[in-house]
Amino acid sequence: MKLIDQVILRIGQDSDFMRFPTTMAGESVVLLGYQTFFDFAETLRHLQAQSARIADTDGRDSPPLIQGLGQFLDEPDADRLVSLLMRGQLLIWFEGRERIISFTPTARLLSRNIEAPITESVVRGSISAFVEDMDTNIGLIRKHAAAEDLRTQSYWTGADKQKQIVLIYRERCVIPGLLEGVIQKLEENISMNVQNLQNLSSMLGFNPWTSITKFNSTELPQEVEMALQKGKVVLMLDRFPFALVVPSLLTDMFAVENDRNFPLLFMYLTRFLRIIGVLTNVIIPGLYVSLVSVNPDLLRIEIALTIARSRMDVPYPSLVETLLLLIILELIIEASIRLPKSIGPTLTMVGGIILGQAVVSAKLVSNILIIVLAATTISSSTVVGYHNSLTIRAFKYLILFLSAGFGLYGLVAGLILICAYMASVTSFGIPYVHLMKPSGDSNG
């Protein structure tokens, strides 16, 4: 069976697969490709014009025609041809000579235009966000970085589902060990199918059960520019409108590049507020439970009496009522993310107010707990990045259970455990608590 027949047998039943016979400068050829990837009429017009120019110049000599139309494939196999077709290439098969050329056609516009970011709010700064098209995203990064030492390396991963991964770094700024480690993992696991971030984590050798993310995702090119200047590397996944910055560090929870568009004093005050928000989210629920159920003697008598009156008819211990309300708040947060934008905020706000009033009226929780957990929920959103807020929200449950069992001693022990755990996490030899400053910058 001919090579081209093997290819047609494998994918020829697809409704959008095109097999179009035609002639070019007297040569009988067959065009093969997925017509949903490119503009067929414009591509054919361009091919005919280019082949006519080559034929007029070279007197219809076949080798110059073959060499001038595209990339000549020397001894290809069926897997390579199918891979090229799946990437949107057009194959030109010269029937009489059994030769195949890979041609880049006029592509269809299969991505949306550059828009404002959806998951990251920009108060002052550029609002151009990444899209699903890889070339557009790399162009945005080059526009912002504008550095001659910006380097990109492309990898096609997957045995049956081809996915492109582009590695981006600054040659003069990148940490050598980090770059070598990422390249080694990509090349070792090049056959893995990477369709989501869990697959990418496995490809890079990260522990799938870690509660701390090993890379930050951002849809802002200016954040990528600053990460590259700090010596980090960036991974772009095809059809994924986010850049993945490796490694993720503790300071990424509190600092973003847009902070630098404000006066220095306000930049530090804003970052200090984010730190206060993290501490509030982690400590306050456990502190409430420990002071109410284990160490009430540490409170002033007036506050202790106020809390006792508010919990007079509550039938559950403080741990149960806190967990009950925390789960309800987590459900409200998840619903606000999943619901349509037109009704999500209204429904969750009304539901939260009505539900909060109802549980207090039914004496299932105390009034003070409503205040405590409302402040906790608000503070969880002050950190940078939704993935970081998930980490903080998970840590508060560890503090909560330890505080319910051991009081303030359990709270302090939980904080020590969290700090020790964060200090033990590394990414390609770089500690999670490491401080990386931009090259040539004195105030990171």
Side-chain angles (χ1 to χ4, degrees):
M1 183 183 293
K2 293 182 179 180
L3 177 62
I4 208 69
D5 293 331
Q6 298 178 26
V7 175
I8 295 174
L9 183 63
R10 288 175 60 172
I11 60 177
Q13 295 182 356
D14 294 338
S15 59
D16 60 337
F17 181 72
M18 176 197 67
R19 181 183 180 183
F20 184 78
T22 184
T23 58
M24 292 184 182
E27 289 278 344
S28 178
V29 300
V30 177
L31 306 181
L32 304 170
Y34 285 98
Q35 56 187 343
T36 47
F37 278 142
F38 55 86
D39 187 336
F40 175 67
E42 185 64 29
T43 300
L44 182 60
R45 187 180 304 112
H46 178 67
L47 277 173
Q48 295 286 7
Q50 187 172 348
S51 61
R53 286 196 299 269
I54 295 174
D56 291 342
T57 304
D58 299 291
R60 295 191 178 183
D61 190 14
S62 180
L65 176 62
I66 293 176
Q67 297 171 5
L69 285 178
Q71 179 186 3
F72 172 67
L73 303 179
D74 187 19
E75 298 183 359
D77 55 12
D79 291 336
R80 184 184 179 189
L81 295 182
V82 171
S83 177
L84 288 170
L85 290 171
M86 299 300 293
R87 298 179 193 176
Q89 292 292 100
L90 178 69
L91 298 183
I92 306 175
W93 175 35
F94 288 79
E95 291 183 289
R97 299 178 179 270
E98 290 296 327
R99 297 198 175 179
I100 302 174
I101 290 176
S102 175
F103 178 77
T104 302
T106 303
R108 290 182 184 270
L109 185 61
L110 300 178
S111 299
R112 55 191 170 92
N113 295 325
I114 298 175
E115 300 172 351
I118 299 175
T119 61
E120 299 176 70
S121 298
V122 179
V123 179
R124 181 181 293 178
S126 173
I127 60 172
S128 299
F130 293 125
V131 295
E132 288 76 11
D133 183 66
M134 181 73 74
D135 294 336
T136 303
N137 293 339
I138 296 176
L140 284 173
I141 295 174
R142 287 196 178 276
K143 274 282 189 180
H144 279 265
E148 62 175 324
D149 64 332
L150 185 66
R151 301 289 180 261
T152 62
Q153 295 184 24
S154 182
Y155 300 87
W156 286 92
T157 65
D160 56 342
K161 296 180 179 179
Q162 289 278 306
K163 201 79 169 180
Q164 185 183 16
I165 297 178
V166 175
L167 173 66
I168 307 173
Y169 60 93
R170 288 277 303 275
E171 195 171 31
R172 298 174 185 170
C173 304
V174 69
I175 301 174
L178 171 63
L179 179 62
E180 293 170 2
V182 173
I183 292 177
Q184 180 182 356
K185 289 294 183 181
L186 290 175
E187 293 178 349
E188 286 179 354
N189 303 305
I190 198 68
S191 61
M192 289 183 60
N193 291 324
V194 180
Q195 304 300 319
N196 49 57
L197 296 188
Q198 289 184 6
N199 298 150
L200 185 60
S201 296
S202 299
M203 186 179 192
L204 295 176
F206 296 149
N207 183 1
W209 295 104
T210 181
S211 59
I212 295 178
T213 179
K214 293 300 185 69
F215 41 68
N216 281 324
S217 60
T218 178
E219 55 181 333
L220 299 175
Q222 59 266 31
E223 297 297 328
V224 172
E225 175 196 0
M226 181 54 60
L228 294 172
Q229 193 173 347
K230 289 180 179 179
K232 300 182 180 182
V233 300
V234 175
L235 296 172
M236 301 293 300
L237 188 61
D238 192 24
R239 313 311 300 171
F240 192 76
F242 295 90
L244 306 173
V245 181
V246 180
S248 174
L249 303 178
L250 178 63
T251 53
D252 295 332
M253 285 189 182
F254 315 114
V256 291
E257 177 61 16
N258 286 318
D259 293 342
R260 298 174 180 272
N261 293 323
F262 295 92
L264 191 64
L265 174 63
F266 295 112
M267 181 187 78
Y268 284 120
L269 287 176
T270 302
R271 294 179 178 179
F272 178 72
L273 281 176
R274 293 179 187 140
I275 296 174
I276 295 297
V278 169
L279 295 176
T280 300
N281 185 267
V282 172
I283 294 176
I284 293 300
L287 182 63
Y288 170 81
V289 172
S290 65
L291 292 178
V292 168
S293 60
V294 183
N295 304 111
D297 52 308
L298 296 178
L299 294 171
R300 289 175 58 89
I301 185 64
E302 296 86 358
I303 298 177
L305 291 175
T306 301
I307 295 176
R309 282 195 298 268
S310 68
R311 300 192 71 254
M312 185 175 301
D313 297 324
V314 176
Y316 306 115
S318 59
L319 176 62
V320 175
E321 67 166 340
T322 304
L323 277 177
L324 175 65
L325 205 56
L326 277 175
I327 292 173
I328 292 175
L329 290 173
E330 297 287 357
L331 292 174
I332 291 175
I333 292 174
E334 189 66 18
S336 66
I337 297 173
R338 306 302 171 191
L339 285 171
K341 300 298 182 184
S342 57
I343 65 172
T346 302
L347 187 61
T348 52
M349 183 179 295
V350 174
I353 293 174
I354 295 175
L355 194 60
Q357 182 63 35
V359 294
V360 171
S361 301
K363 301 297 183 179
L364 296 177
V365 298
S366 64
N367 292 323
I368 295 179
L369 182 61
I370 293 287
I371 299 173
V372 168
L373 295 190
T376 300
T377 304
I378 293 172
S379 62
S380 67
S381 301
T382 59
V383 297
V384 178
Y386 179 71
H387 48 278
N388 288 324
S389 69
L390 291 176
T391 300
I392 297 302
R393 284 158 58 185
F395 282 157
K396 72 184 175 189
Y397 290 99
L398 172 63
I399 299 291
L400 179 65
F401 285 108
L402 289 175
S403 299
F406 305 100
L408 290 178
Y409 291 110
L411 189 148
V412 175
L415 291 176
I416 294 174
L417 285 175
I418 292 173
C419 292
Y421 172 67
M422 290 192 297
S424 67
V425 174
T426 60
S427 296
F428 297 101
I430 300 176
Y432 181 67
V433 294
H434 181 63
L435 179 61
M436 298 177 68
K437 289 187 177 182
S439 178
D441 194 359
S442 59
N443 55 8

